[in-house]
Amino acid sequence: MNKSCVNIRQEIDIVAARQLGRDLAKEVGFSAVDQARFTTAVSEIARNIYLYANEGKICFDITQNMNHTGLRLTATDSGPGIKDISKAMEDGYTTSGGLGAGLPGVKRLMDEFDISSEENVGTKIMVIKWKR
């Protein structure tokens, strides 16, 4: 499978990213619960791009690791970046008045999670959910 990507520029793009993520999770053969987990993570990451960076891109691709099949999401933006990633990964920490459950929640829902960010350059998040 080639990469499938959604540009996040408007709020409606969050829905498009969510739908593509759900379709691919179904294609990979995730259970209904894992489809919901993956879709929730897509929504959170897409919403963060829209709220904090104004625009960015979410790409999906099916990945293999020995005998496991998974679905990888790579999100990139060129927004203001995250000043303190360790703070952003704490439950309850927020800069927008939300619940502060977003990124820590995504990490809990996925099997692999990697984030890098540089102020005034942007943020990159890569997550993988493996099929059970």
Side-chain angles (χ1 to χ4, degrees), residues 58-107:
I58 292 181
C59 294
F60 304 94
D61 63 293
I62 296 172
T63 186
Q64 301 283 329
N65 181 1
M66 303 221 287
N67 294 329
H68 292 84
T69 301
L71 186 55
R72 176 176 32 222
L73 175 159
T74 305
T76 55
D77 69 63
S78 54
I82 301 171
K83 277 186 181 179
D84 186 340
I85 290 176
S86 61
K87 259 296 202 217
M89 295 306 300
E90 291 177 7
D91 281 317
Y93 177 78
T94 180
T95 58
S96 67
L99 296 174
L103 289 176
V106 168
K107 186 174 182 179

Side-chain angles (χ1 to χ4, degrees), residues 3 14 25 27 31-32 36 40 42 48 60-61 66 95-96 102-103 108:
K3 272 191 182 176
I14 298 168
E27 182 181 318
S31 68
T40 299
V42 172
N48 281 355
F60 304 94
D61 63 293
M66 303 221 287
T95 58
S96 67
L103 289 176
R108 283 191 292 271

